[in-house]
Amino acid sequence: MSQQGSAGNVIAAIASFFFPGLGQLVQGRILAALLFCVITIVGYAMWWLIVPAIIGGIAHLWSIIDAAKFKADQPY
């Protein structure tokens, strides 16, 4: 999963589509996974306030894009 566009990044992006932060967890980035998960879930949980829901949606989209574009610094 070290190169952008690799099969691992595609799988991570699909995982983040279904559950925000799961793609980052698959890539081994635990802190990023927790942040994306918490921000998105809290935003979606406060849907009636509109602005947090929009922030949650943006965070969810960002988690998908981040998982797809991740490039590891050190090749394995």
Side-chain angles (χ1 to χ4, degrees), residues 12-24 27 29 32-33 35-37 40 56-69:
I14 292 170
S16 280
F17 176 77
F18 289 108
F19 193 84
L22 187 58
Q24 286 76 13
Q27 293 170 333
R29 301 184 301 149
L35 287 174
F36 280 124
C37 182
T40 304
I58 291 170
H60 194 169
L61 183 62
W62 186 12
S63 74
I64 297 167
I65 294 169
D66 180 65
K69 291 188 170 242

Side-chain angles (χ1 to χ4, degrees), residues 27-46:
Q27 293 170 333
R29 301 184 301 149
I30 297 171
L31 183 61
L34 285 172
L35 287 174
F36 280 124
C37 182
V38 169
I39 292 169
T40 304
I41 289 176
V42 168
Y44 284 163
M46 299 176 70

